[in-house]
Amino acid sequence: MSDSFVHLHVASAYSMRYGTAKPEQLVERAVAFGQPALALTDRDGLYGAVKFVRACMERDLDPILGVDLALGADPIEP
């Protein structure tokens, strides 16, 4: 992969049913592919953020934090 490519939608194992890898494993894989940065967008929360940022700092990878929020319809309809 090109060093200009960055995954911006990645869920860790902290996102039940959406991701299976631990944040440290995601960082190792991004480093192996020569990516300069990686985003962590766990489902409905920042559950793996601290471990992710620490792993990125140890491997000189730029961390990008986000969240994948599920929004539902308004429960009260007119």
Side-chain angles (χ1 to χ4, degrees):
M1 284 189 198
S2 167
D3 64 357
S4 63
F5 179 83
V6 176
H7 279 285
L8 296 177
H9 188 248
V10 179
S12 74
Y14 290 97
S15 295
M16 189 178 296
R17 295 184 5 201
Y18 295 97
T20 58
K22 295 178 182 178
E24 299 86 356
Q25 294 169 315
L26 296 170
V27 169
E28 289 299 320
R29 196 70 171 156
V31 169
F33 280 105
Q35 296 178 346
L38 180 65
L40 182 67
T41 54
D42 279 328
R43 180 69 178 223
D44 295 326
L46 295 169
Y47 310 115
V50 173
K51 289 184 179 186
F52 174 72
V53 170
R54 286 182 178 160
C56 285
M57 290 171 58
E58 289 173 4
R59 298 302 309 244
D60 198 29
L61 187 71
D62 292 330
I64 302 169
L65 294 176
V67 64
D68 181 5
L69 291 175
L71 301 175
D74 188 357
I76 302 173
E77 294 186 26

Short mmCIF file of all heavy atoms in Angstrom, two decimals:
data_model
loop_
_atom_site.label_atom_id
_atom_site.label_comp_id
_atom_site.label_asym_id
_atom_site.label_seq_id
_atom_site.Cartn_x
_atom_site.Cartn_y
_atom_site.Cartn_z
N MET A 1 0.83 -1.19 0.00
CA MET A 1 0.00 0.00 0.00
C MET A 1 0.87 1.25 0.00
O MET A 1 1.96 1.24 0.54
CB MET A 1 -0.90 0.02 1.23
CG MET A 1 -2.07 -0.92 1.16
SD MET A 1 -3.20 -0.64 2.53
CE MET A 1 -4.07 -2.17 2.45
N SER A 2 0.34 2.29 -0.56
CA SER A 2 1.04 3.56 -0.60
C SER A 2 1.12 4.18 0.79
O SER A 2 0.21 4.02 1.60
CB SER A 2 0.31 4.50 -1.54
OG SER A 2 0.78 5.81 -1.39
N ASP A 3 2.20 4.91 1.07
CA ASP A 3 2.33 5.55 2.38
C ASP A 3 1.36 6.72 2.53
O ASP A 3 1.24 7.29 3.60
CB ASP A 3 3.76 5.98 2.66
CG ASP A 3 4.25 7.05 1.70
OD1 ASP A 3 3.51 7.42 0.77
OD2 ASP A 3 5.38 7.50 1.89
N SER A 4 0.64 7.09 1.48
CA SER A 4 -0.34 8.17 1.59
C SER A 4 -1.73 7.63 1.91
O SER A 4 -2.65 8.40 2.14
CB SER A 4 -0.38 8.99 0.31
OG SER A 4 -0.80 8.19 -0.77
N PHE A 5 -1.89 6.32 1.92
CA PHE A 5 -3.19 5.71 2.22
C PHE A 5 -3.37 5.56 3.72
O PHE A 5 -2.48 5.10 4.42
CB PHE A 5 -3.30 4.33 1.56
CG PHE A 5 -4.61 3.66 1.85
CD1 PHE A 5 -5.73 3.96 1.10
CD2 PHE A 5 -4.72 2.75 2.88
CE1 PHE A 5 -6.95 3.35 1.37
CE2 PHE A 5 -5.92 2.13 3.16
CZ PHE A 5 -7.04 2.43 2.40
N VAL A 6 -4.54 5.96 4.22
CA VAL A 6 -4.84 5.85 5.65
C VAL A 6 -6.27 5.33 5.81
O VAL A 6 -7.20 5.89 5.24
CB VAL A 6 -4.71 7.22 6.35
CG1 VAL A 6 -5.13 7.12 7.80
CG2 VAL A 6 -3.29 7.74 6.24
N HIS A 7 -6.43 4.27 6.58
CA HIS A 7 -7.78 3.77 6.89
C HIS A 7 -8.43 4.74 7.87
O HIS A 7 -7.88 5.04 8.93
CB HIS A 7 -7.71 2.38 7.52
CG HIS A 7 -7.54 1.29 6.54
ND1 HIS A 7 -8.58 0.84 5.75
CD2 HIS A 7 -6.47 0.55 6.21
CE1 HIS A 7 -8.14 -0.13 4.98
NE2 HIS A 7 -6.87 -0.33 5.24
N LEU A 8 -9.62 5.21 7.54
CA LEU A 8 -10.33 6.18 8.39
C LEU A 8 -11.57 5.60 9.06
O LEU A 8 -12.26 6.30 9.78
CB LEU A 8 -10.72 7.41 7.57
CG LEU A 8 -9.55 8.21 7.01
CD1 LEU A 8 -10.06 9.36 6.16
CD2 LEU A 8 -8.66 8.72 8.13
N HIS A 9 -11.86 4.34 8.83
CA HIS A 9 -13.03 3.70 9.46
C HIS A 9 -12.61 2.32 9.93
O HIS A 9 -12.69 1.34 9.18
CB HIS A 9 -14.18 3.62 8.46
CG HIS A 9 -15.46 3.17 9.09
ND1 HIS A 9 -16.02 1.95 8.81
CD2 HIS A 9 -16.26 3.78 10.00
CE1 HIS A 9 -17.14 1.82 9.52
NE2 HIS A 9 -17.30 2.91 10.24
N VAL A 10 -12.15 2.23 11.18
CA VAL A 10 -11.64 0.98 11.73
C VAL A 10 -12.24 0.76 13.12
O VAL A 10 -12.16 1.63 13.98
CB VAL A 10 -10.09 1.01 11.84
CG1 VAL A 10 -9.57 -0.27 12.44
CG2 VAL A 10 -9.47 1.28 10.49
N ALA A 11 -12.82 -0.41 13.33
CA ALA A 11 -13.39 -0.76 14.63
C ALA A 11 -12.49 -1.79 15.30
O ALA A 11 -12.02 -2.73 14.66
CB ALA A 11 -14.79 -1.31 14.47
N SER A 12 -12.28 -1.63 16.58
CA SER A 12 -11.47 -2.58 17.34
C SER A 12 -12.37 -3.63 18.00
O SER A 12 -13.59 -3.59 17.87
CB SER A 12 -10.66 -1.85 18.42
OG SER A 12 -11.49 -1.45 19.49
N ALA A 13 -11.76 -4.53 18.73
CA ALA A 13 -12.50 -5.57 19.44
C ALA A 13 -13.40 -4.98 20.51
O ALA A 13 -14.29 -5.67 21.03
CB ALA A 13 -11.53 -6.57 20.06
N TYR A 14 -13.21 -3.71 20.85
CA TYR A 14 -14.07 -3.06 21.82
C TYR A 14 -15.44 -2.71 21.24
O TYR A 14 -16.33 -2.29 21.96
CB TYR A 14 -13.41 -1.80 22.38
CG TYR A 14 -12.23 -2.12 23.26
CD1 TYR A 14 -10.94 -2.08 22.77
CD2 TYR A 14 -12.41 -2.47 24.59
CE1 TYR A 14 -9.86 -2.38 23.57
CE2 TYR A 14 -11.34 -2.78 25.41
CZ TYR A 14 -10.07 -2.73 24.89
OH TYR A 14 -9.00 -3.04 25.69
N SER A 15 -15.59 -2.86 19.93
CA SER A 15 -16.87 -2.63 19.26
C SER A 15 -17.52 -3.99 19.01
O SER A 15 -17.27 -4.63 17.98
CB SER A 15 -16.68 -1.92 17.92
OG SER A 15 -16.17 -0.63 18.11
N MET A 16 -18.32 -4.44 19.94
CA MET A 16 -18.93 -5.76 19.81
C MET A 16 -19.67 -5.89 18.49
O MET A 16 -20.42 -5.00 18.10
CB MET A 16 -19.88 -6.01 20.98
CG MET A 16 -20.39 -7.43 21.02
SD MET A 16 -21.47 -7.78 22.41
CE MET A 16 -20.37 -7.55 23.77
N ARG A 17 -19.42 -6.97 17.79
CA ARG A 17 -20.01 -7.31 16.50
C ARG A 17 -19.46 -6.50 15.33
O ARG A 17 -19.87 -6.71 14.19
CB ARG A 17 -21.53 -7.16 16.52
CG ARG A 17 -22.24 -8.09 17.44
CD ARG A 17 -23.74 -7.97 17.39
NE ARG A 17 -24.20 -7.06 16.36
CZ ARG A 17 -25.37 -6.48 16.34
NH1 ARG A 17 -26.21 -6.71 17.32
NH2 ARG A 17 -25.73 -5.67 15.37
N TYR A 18 -18.56 -5.55 15.55
CA TYR A 18 -18.04 -4.74 14.46
C TYR A 18 -16.54 -4.88 14.26
O TYR A 18 -16.04 -4.58 13.18
CB TYR A 18 -18.40 -3.25 14.68
CG TYR A 18 -19.87 -3.02 14.63
CD1 TYR A 18 -20.61 -2.96 15.80
CD2 TYR A 18 -20.53 -2.89 13.42
CE1 TYR A 18 -21.98 -2.76 15.76
CE2 TYR A 18 -21.90 -2.70 13.37
CZ TYR A 18 -22.62 -2.64 14.54
OH TYR A 18 -23.97 -2.46 14.49
N GLY A 19 -15.81 -5.28 15.28
CA GLY A 19 -14.37 -5.43 15.16
C GLY A 19 -13.89 -6.61 15.98
O GLY A 19 -14.54 -7.02 16.94
N THR A 20 -12.75 -7.18 15.60
CA THR A 20 -12.23 -8.34 16.31
C THR A 20 -10.80 -8.16 16.82
O THR A 20 -10.37 -8.89 17.70
CB THR A 20 -12.26 -9.59 15.42
OG1 THR A 20 -11.49 -9.35 14.25
CG2 THR A 20 -13.69 -9.95 15.03
N ALA A 21 -10.08 -7.21 16.27
CA ALA A 21 -8.67 -7.03 16.62
C ALA A 21 -8.50 -6.01 17.75
O ALA A 21 -9.22 -5.02 17.81
CB ALA A 21 -7.87 -6.58 15.40
N LYS A 22 -7.53 -6.28 18.61
CA LYS A 22 -7.20 -5.33 19.67
C LYS A 22 -6.53 -4.12 19.04
O LYS A 22 -5.92 -4.21 17.97
CB LYS A 22 -6.25 -5.99 20.68
CG LYS A 22 -6.88 -7.13 21.43
CD LYS A 22 -5.87 -7.75 22.36
CE LYS A 22 -6.47 -8.94 23.08
NZ LYS A 22 -5.49 -9.60 23.95
N PRO A 23 -6.62 -2.95 19.70
CA PRO A 23 -5.98 -1.75 19.14
C PRO A 23 -4.50 -1.95 18.81
O PRO A 23 -4.03 -1.49 17.77
CB PRO A 23 -6.18 -0.70 20.24
CG PRO A 23 -7.41 -1.13 20.94
CD PRO A 23 -7.37 -2.64 20.92
N GLU A 24 -3.79 -2.66 19.67
CA GLU A 24 -2.36 -2.90 19.43
C GLU A 24 -2.14 -3.71 18.15
O GLU A 24 -1.19 -3.46 17.40
CB GLU A 24 -1.74 -3.64 20.63
CG GLU A 24 -1.82 -2.88 21.93
CD GLU A 24 -3.12 -3.09 22.70
OE1 GLU A 24 -4.05 -3.78 22.19
OE2 GLU A 24 -3.23 -2.53 23.81
N GLN A 25 -3.02 -4.66 17.88
CA GLN A 25 -2.92 -5.46 16.66
C GLN A 25 -3.19 -4.62 15.42
O GLN A 25 -2.53 -4.79 14.38
CB GLN A 25 -3.89 -6.63 16.72
CG GLN A 25 -3.56 -7.65 17.79
CD GLN A 25 -4.68 -8.65 17.99
OE1 GLN A 25 -5.86 -8.29 18.05
NE2 GLN A 25 -4.31 -9.93 18.08
N LEU A 26 -4.15 -3.72 15.51
CA LEU A 26 -4.45 -2.83 14.38
C LEU A 26 -3.26 -1.95 14.05
O LEU A 26 -2.92 -1.75 12.88
CB LEU A 26 -5.67 -1.97 14.71
CG LEU A 26 -6.99 -2.71 14.92
CD1 LEU A 26 -8.06 -1.77 15.46
CD2 LEU A 26 -7.45 -3.35 13.62
N VAL A 27 -2.61 -1.43 15.09
CA VAL A 27 -1.44 -0.57 14.90
C VAL A 27 -0.30 -1.37 14.27
O VAL A 27 0.34 -0.90 13.32
CB VAL A 27 -1.01 0.07 16.23
CG1 VAL A 27 0.35 0.74 16.11
CG2 VAL A 27 -2.05 1.07 16.70
N GLU A 28 -0.05 -2.57 14.75
CA GLU A 28 1.01 -3.40 14.19
C GLU A 28 0.79 -3.64 12.70
O GLU A 28 1.72 -3.61 11.90
CB GLU A 28 1.11 -4.74 14.93
CG GLU A 28 1.67 -4.62 16.32
CD GLU A 28 3.09 -4.06 16.35
OE1 GLU A 28 3.91 -4.42 15.48
OE2 GLU A 28 3.37 -3.25 17.24
N ARG A 29 -0.45 -3.90 12.32
CA ARG A 29 -0.76 -4.17 10.91
C ARG A 29 -0.55 -2.93 10.05
O ARG A 29 -0.03 -3.00 8.95
CB ARG A 29 -2.20 -4.66 10.81
CG ARG A 29 -2.52 -5.32 9.53
CD ARG A 29 -1.82 -6.65 9.44
NE ARG A 29 -2.34 -7.34 8.28
CZ ARG A 29 -1.71 -8.26 7.64
NH1 ARG A 29 -0.54 -8.67 8.06
NH2 ARG A 29 -2.22 -8.83 6.59
N ALA A 30 -0.98 -1.77 10.56
CA ALA A 30 -0.79 -0.53 9.81
C ALA A 30 0.69 -0.23 9.63
O ALA A 30 1.12 0.18 8.54
CB ALA A 30 -1.47 0.63 10.54
N VAL A 31 1.50 -0.47 10.66
CA VAL A 31 2.94 -0.26 10.56
C VAL A 31 3.53 -1.23 9.54
O VAL A 31 4.38 -0.85 8.72
CB VAL A 31 3.61 -0.43 11.95
CG1 VAL A 31 5.12 -0.49 11.83
CG2 VAL A 31 3.20 0.71 12.87
N ALA A 32 3.08 -2.47 9.56
CA ALA A 32 3.59 -3.47 8.61
C ALA A 32 3.33 -3.08 7.16
O ALA A 32 4.12 -3.39 6.27
CB ALA A 32 2.96 -4.83 8.91
N PHE A 33 2.22 -2.37 6.93
CA PHE A 33 1.89 -1.92 5.58
C PHE A 33 2.44 -0.54 5.26
O PHE A 33 2.16 0.03 4.21
CB PHE A 33 0.38 -1.95 5.35
CG PHE A 33 -0.15 -3.31 5.03
CD1 PHE A 33 -0.84 -4.02 5.99
CD2 PHE A 33 0.06 -3.89 3.79
CE1 PHE A 33 -1.33 -5.29 5.71
CE2 PHE A 33 -0.41 -5.15 3.50
CZ PHE A 33 -1.11 -5.86 4.46
N GLY A 34 3.19 0.05 6.18
CA GLY A 34 3.83 1.33 5.93
C GLY A 34 2.89 2.52 5.95
O GLY A 34 3.19 3.56 5.37
N GLN A 35 1.77 2.41 6.62
CA GLN A 35 0.84 3.52 6.68
C GLN A 35 1.35 4.57 7.66
O GLN A 35 1.87 4.23 8.72
CB GLN A 35 -0.55 3.04 7.09
CG GLN A 35 -1.16 2.11 6.08
CD GLN A 35 -2.52 1.60 6.50
OE1 GLN A 35 -2.92 1.71 7.64
NE2 GLN A 35 -3.23 1.02 5.55
N PRO A 36 1.19 5.86 7.35
CA PRO A 36 1.69 6.91 8.24
C PRO A 36 0.77 7.20 9.42
O PRO A 36 1.18 7.79 10.40
CB PRO A 36 1.77 8.13 7.32
CG PRO A 36 0.69 7.89 6.31
CD PRO A 36 0.67 6.39 6.10
N ALA A 37 -0.50 6.79 9.31
CA ALA A 37 -1.49 7.08 10.34
C ALA A 37 -2.56 6.01 10.29
O ALA A 37 -2.65 5.23 9.35
CB ALA A 37 -2.11 8.46 10.12
N LEU A 38 -3.40 5.99 11.33
CA LEU A 38 -4.52 5.06 11.38
C LEU A 38 -5.61 5.67 12.24
O LEU A 38 -5.32 6.31 13.25
CB LEU A 38 -4.09 3.72 11.99
CG LEU A 38 -5.16 2.63 12.10
CD1 LEU A 38 -5.63 2.18 10.71
CD2 LEU A 38 -4.63 1.45 12.88
N ALA A 39 -6.86 5.50 11.82
CA ALA A 39 -7.99 5.99 12.61
C ALA A 39 -8.60 4.84 13.38
O ALA A 39 -8.60 3.70 12.92
CB ALA A 39 -9.04 6.61 11.70
N LEU A 40 -9.14 5.14 14.55
CA LEU A 40 -9.92 4.19 15.31
C LEU A 40 -11.30 4.79 15.49
O LEU A 40 -11.45 5.88 16.05
CB LEU A 40 -9.30 3.91 16.68
CG LEU A 40 -10.06 2.87 17.51
CD1 LEU A 40 -9.95 1.49 16.85
CD2 LEU A 40 -9.53 2.81 18.92
N THR A 41 -12.32 4.11 14.95
CA THR A 41 -13.69 4.60 15.02
C THR A 41 -14.58 3.51 15.60
O THR A 41 -15.37 2.89 14.89
CB THR A 41 -14.19 5.02 13.62
OG1 THR A 41 -14.02 3.92 12.72
CG2 THR A 41 -13.44 6.22 13.10
N ASP A 42 -14.43 3.25 16.90
CA ASP A 42 -15.25 2.23 17.54
C ASP A 42 -16.72 2.62 17.50
O ASP A 42 -17.08 3.79 17.44
CB ASP A 42 -14.81 2.01 18.99
CG ASP A 42 -13.60 1.11 19.09
OD1 ASP A 42 -13.46 0.20 18.24
OD2 ASP A 42 -12.80 1.28 20.03
N ARG A 43 -17.57 1.62 17.54
CA ARG A 43 -19.02 1.82 17.44
C ARG A 43 -19.58 2.39 18.74
O ARG A 43 -19.43 1.80 19.81
CB ARG A 43 -19.69 0.48 17.11
CG ARG A 43 -21.17 0.50 16.98
CD ARG A 43 -21.57 1.28 15.72
NE ARG A 43 -23.01 1.24 15.59
CZ ARG A 43 -23.62 1.03 14.45
NH1 ARG A 43 -22.93 0.85 13.35
NH2 ARG A 43 -24.92 1.00 14.41
N ASP A 44 -20.19 3.55 18.66
CA ASP A 44 -20.92 4.19 19.76
C ASP A 44 -20.07 4.53 20.98
O ASP A 44 -20.59 4.61 22.09
CB ASP A 44 -22.13 3.34 20.18
CG ASP A 44 -23.17 3.26 19.08
OD1 ASP A 44 -23.32 4.24 18.35
OD2 ASP A 44 -23.82 2.20 18.97
N GLY A 45 -18.77 4.70 20.82
CA GLY A 45 -17.95 5.09 21.96
C GLY A 45 -16.47 5.10 21.62
O GLY A 45 -16.06 4.71 20.54
N LEU A 46 -15.69 5.59 22.56
CA LEU A 46 -14.23 5.66 22.41
C LEU A 46 -13.55 4.59 23.27
O LEU A 46 -12.57 4.84 23.93
CB LEU A 46 -13.74 7.06 22.81
CG LEU A 46 -14.23 8.19 21.93
CD1 LEU A 46 -13.92 9.54 22.57
CD2 LEU A 46 -13.60 8.11 20.55
N TYR A 47 -14.09 3.39 23.24
CA TYR A 47 -13.68 2.34 24.15
C TYR A 47 -12.21 1.97 24.09
O TYR A 47 -11.58 1.74 25.10
CB TYR A 47 -14.53 1.08 23.91
CG TYR A 47 -15.99 1.38 23.86
CD1 TYR A 47 -16.72 1.20 22.70
CD2 TYR A 47 -16.65 1.87 24.99
CE1 TYR A 47 -18.08 1.47 22.66
CE2 TYR A 47 -18.00 2.16 24.95
CZ TYR A 47 -18.71 1.96 23.78
OH TYR A 47 -20.04 2.24 23.74
N GLY A 48 -11.63 1.90 22.92
CA GLY A 48 -10.24 1.48 22.78
C GLY A 48 -9.27 2.63 22.58
O GLY A 48 -8.10 2.42 22.27
N ALA A 49 -9.72 3.86 22.78
CA ALA A 49 -8.93 5.05 22.44
C ALA A 49 -7.59 5.12 23.18
O ALA A 49 -6.56 5.41 22.56
CB ALA A 49 -9.73 6.31 22.68
N VAL A 50 -7.58 4.89 24.47
CA VAL A 50 -6.35 5.05 25.24
C VAL A 50 -5.31 4.02 24.80
O VAL A 50 -4.15 4.37 24.53
CB VAL A 50 -6.63 4.93 26.76
CG1 VAL A 50 -5.34 4.91 27.55
CG2 VAL A 50 -7.51 6.09 27.21
N LYS A 51 -5.71 2.77 24.69
CA LYS A 51 -4.76 1.73 24.25
C LYS A 51 -4.30 1.99 22.82
O LYS A 51 -3.15 1.75 22.47
CB LYS A 51 -5.39 0.36 24.37
CG LYS A 51 -5.56 -0.06 25.81
CD LYS A 51 -6.09 -1.47 25.92
CE LYS A 51 -6.21 -1.84 27.39
NZ LYS A 51 -6.59 -3.21 27.59
N PHE A 52 -5.20 2.48 21.98
CA PHE A 52 -4.86 2.78 20.60
C PHE A 52 -3.81 3.88 20.51
O PHE A 52 -2.80 3.74 19.82
CB PHE A 52 -6.13 3.17 19.83
CG PHE A 52 -5.89 3.64 18.44
CD1 PHE A 52 -5.53 2.75 17.44
CD2 PHE A 52 -6.04 4.98 18.11
CE1 PHE A 52 -5.31 3.17 16.14
CE2 PHE A 52 -5.84 5.42 16.81
CZ PHE A 52 -5.47 4.51 15.83
N VAL A 53 -4.04 4.99 21.20
CA VAL A 53 -3.10 6.12 21.15
C VAL A 53 -1.74 5.69 21.71
O VAL A 53 -0.70 6.03 21.15
CB VAL A 53 -3.66 7.35 21.88
CG1 VAL A 53 -2.60 8.43 22.04
CG2 VAL A 53 -4.87 7.90 21.14
N ARG A 54 -1.73 4.96 22.80
CA ARG A 54 -0.46 4.49 23.37
C ARG A 54 0.29 3.60 22.39
O ARG A 54 1.51 3.72 22.23
CB ARG A 54 -0.71 3.75 24.68
CG ARG A 54 -1.06 4.67 25.81
CD ARG A 54 -1.25 3.93 27.10
NE ARG A 54 -1.54 4.86 28.18
CZ ARG A 54 -2.11 4.52 29.31
NH1 ARG A 54 -2.45 3.26 29.54
NH2 ARG A 54 -2.36 5.42 30.23
N ALA A 55 -0.42 2.69 21.73
CA ALA A 55 0.22 1.80 20.76
C ALA A 55 0.77 2.60 19.58
O ALA A 55 1.86 2.32 19.09
CB ALA A 55 -0.77 0.74 20.29
N CYS A 56 0.02 3.61 19.13
CA CYS A 56 0.49 4.46 18.03
C CYS A 56 1.75 5.22 18.43
O CYS A 56 2.69 5.32 17.63
CB CYS A 56 -0.60 5.44 17.61
SG CYS A 56 -1.94 4.72 16.67
N MET A 57 1.78 5.74 19.64
CA MET A 57 2.94 6.51 20.09
C MET A 57 4.18 5.61 20.17
O MET A 57 5.28 6.04 19.82
CB MET A 57 2.64 7.15 21.45
CG MET A 57 1.62 8.27 21.36
SD MET A 57 1.05 8.90 22.96
CE MET A 57 2.58 9.43 23.69
N GLU A 58 4.00 4.37 20.60
CA GLU A 58 5.13 3.44 20.69
C GLU A 58 5.69 3.08 19.32
O GLU A 58 6.87 2.77 19.20
CB GLU A 58 4.69 2.15 21.40
CG GLU A 58 4.43 2.33 22.88
CD GLU A 58 3.84 1.09 23.52
OE1 GLU A 58 3.70 0.05 22.82
OE2 GLU A 58 3.51 1.15 24.71
N ARG A 59 4.84 3.11 18.28
CA ARG A 59 5.27 2.70 16.94
C ARG A 59 5.42 3.88 15.97
O ARG A 59 5.56 3.67 14.78
CB ARG A 59 4.26 1.70 16.38
CG ARG A 59 4.14 0.41 17.16
CD ARG A 59 5.47 -0.33 17.26
NE ARG A 59 6.07 -0.48 15.96
CZ ARG A 59 6.29 -1.63 15.35
NH1 ARG A 59 5.98 -2.74 15.95
NH2 ARG A 59 6.83 -1.66 14.15
N ASP A 60 5.38 5.11 16.49
CA ASP A 60 5.54 6.32 15.68
C ASP A 60 4.52 6.38 14.54
O ASP A 60 4.84 6.69 13.40
CB ASP A 60 6.97 6.41 15.13
CG ASP A 60 7.32 7.82 14.67
OD1 ASP A 60 6.75 8.78 15.23
OD2 ASP A 60 8.13 7.95 13.74
N LEU A 61 3.28 6.07 14.87
CA LEU A 61 2.17 6.11 13.93
C LEU A 61 1.22 7.21 14.41
O LEU A 61 0.94 7.31 15.60
CB LEU A 61 1.45 4.76 13.93
CG LEU A 61 0.36 4.54 12.90
CD1 LEU A 61 0.97 4.41 11.50
CD2 LEU A 61 -0.43 3.29 13.23
N ASP A 62 0.75 8.04 13.49
CA ASP A 62 -0.15 9.13 13.87
C ASP A 62 -1.55 8.58 14.14
O ASP A 62 -2.17 8.01 13.25
CB ASP A 62 -0.23 10.18 12.76
CG ASP A 62 1.07 10.94 12.58
OD1 ASP A 62 1.79 11.11 13.58
OD2 ASP A 62 1.35 11.36 11.45
N PRO A 63 -2.06 8.77 15.37
CA PRO A 63 -3.41 8.29 15.69
C PRO A 63 -4.47 9.30 15.27
O PRO A 63 -4.28 10.51 15.39
CB PRO A 63 -3.38 8.14 17.21
CG PRO A 63 -2.40 9.17 17.66
CD PRO A 63 -1.37 9.27 16.57
N ILE A 64 -5.59 8.80 14.78
CA ILE A 64 -6.75 9.61 14.46
C ILE A 64 -7.93 8.99 15.21
O ILE A 64 -8.20 7.81 15.06
CB ILE A 64 -7.04 9.63 12.95
CG1 ILE A 64 -5.82 10.15 12.18
CG2 ILE A 64 -8.29 10.45 12.64
CD1 ILE A 64 -5.91 9.95 10.69
N LEU A 65 -8.59 9.78 16.03
CA LEU A 65 -9.71 9.25 16.81
C LEU A 65 -11.04 9.74 16.25
O LEU A 65 -11.18 10.89 15.84
CB LEU A 65 -9.59 9.69 18.27
CG LEU A 65 -8.41 9.12 19.04
CD1 LEU A 65 -8.35 9.70 20.43
CD2 LEU A 65 -8.49 7.60 19.09
N GLY A 66 -11.99 8.84 16.24
CA GLY A 66 -13.34 9.16 15.81
C GLY A 66 -14.29 8.20 16.48
O GLY A 66 -13.90 7.39 17.32
N VAL A 67 -15.54 8.26 16.08
CA VAL A 67 -16.53 7.34 16.62
C VAL A 67 -17.59 7.10 15.55
O VAL A 67 -17.90 7.98 14.74
CB VAL A 67 -17.17 7.89 17.93
CG1 VAL A 67 -17.92 9.16 17.67
CG2 VAL A 67 -18.03 6.86 18.61
N ASP A 68 -18.09 5.89 15.50
CA ASP A 68 -19.16 5.51 14.57
C ASP A 68 -20.46 5.48 15.39
O ASP A 68 -20.71 4.51 16.10
CB ASP A 68 -18.84 4.14 13.98
CG ASP A 68 -19.88 3.67 12.98
OD1 ASP A 68 -20.81 4.43 12.66
OD2 ASP A 68 -19.76 2.52 12.51
N LEU A 69 -21.22 6.55 15.32
CA LEU A 69 -22.44 6.66 16.12
C LEU A 69 -23.65 6.14 15.36
O LEU A 69 -23.87 6.53 14.20
CB LEU A 69 -22.71 8.11 16.51
CG LEU A 69 -21.74 8.74 17.51
CD1 LEU A 69 -22.07 10.21 17.70
CD2 LEU A 69 -21.77 8.01 18.82
N ALA A 70 -24.43 5.31 16.01
CA ALA A 70 -25.67 4.84 15.43
C ALA A 70 -26.79 5.77 15.88
O ALA A 70 -26.99 5.97 17.08
CB ALA A 70 -25.96 3.41 15.88
N LEU A 71 -27.46 6.36 14.93
CA LEU A 71 -28.55 7.27 15.24
C LEU A 71 -29.86 6.63 14.82
O LEU A 71 -29.99 6.15 13.69
CB LEU A 71 -28.35 8.60 14.53
CG LEU A 71 -27.06 9.36 14.84
CD1 LEU A 71 -26.95 10.60 13.98
CD2 LEU A 71 -27.00 9.72 16.31
N GLY A 72 -30.82 6.65 15.71
CA GLY A 72 -32.13 6.07 15.40
C GLY A 72 -33.14 7.14 15.08
O GLY A 72 -32.91 8.33 15.28
N ALA A 73 -34.28 6.70 14.62
CA ALA A 73 -35.37 7.62 14.33
C ALA A 73 -35.93 8.16 15.63
O ALA A 73 -35.83 7.54 16.68
CB ALA A 73 -36.44 6.90 13.54
N ASP A 74 -36.56 9.32 15.56
CA ASP A 74 -37.20 9.92 16.72
C ASP A 74 -38.31 8.98 17.20
O ASP A 74 -39.22 8.63 16.43
CB ASP A 74 -37.78 11.28 16.35
CG ASP A 74 -38.29 12.06 17.54
OD1 ASP A 74 -38.27 11.52 18.68
OD2 ASP A 74 -38.73 13.20 17.34
N PRO A 75 -38.26 8.54 18.48
CA PRO A 75 -39.26 7.57 18.95
C PRO A 75 -40.67 8.14 19.04
O PRO A 75 -41.64 7.41 19.07
CB PRO A 75 -38.76 7.19 20.34
CG PRO A 75 -37.88 8.30 20.75
CD PRO A 75 -37.32 8.89 19.50
N ILE A 76 -40.80 9.47 19.04
CA ILE A 76 -42.12 10.09 19.10
C ILE A 76 -42.39 10.76 17.76
O ILE A 76 -41.77 11.75 17.42
CB ILE A 76 -42.19 11.14 20.24
CG1 ILE A 76 -41.88 10.49 21.57
CG2 ILE A 76 -43.56 11.81 20.25
CD1 ILE A 76 -41.76 11.47 22.70
N GLU A 77 -43.29 10.17 17.02
CA GLU A 77 -43.63 10.75 15.72
C GLU A 77 -44.95 11.49 15.82
O GLU A 77 -45.87 11.04 16.50
CB GLU A 77 -43.72 9.65 14.67
CG GLU A 77 -42.37 8.99 14.42
CD GLU A 77 -42.42 8.00 13.28
OE1 GLU A 77 -43.29 8.14 12.40
OE2 GLU A 77 -41.59 7.10 13.27
N PRO A 78 -45.06 12.62 15.14
CA PRO A 78 -46.31 13.43 15.20
C PRO A 78 -47.48 12.72 14.56
O PRO A 78 -47.43 11.88 13.80
CB PRO A 78 -45.96 14.70 14.47
CG PRO A 78 -44.66 14.51 13.82
CD PRO A 78 -44.06 13.26 14.36
#
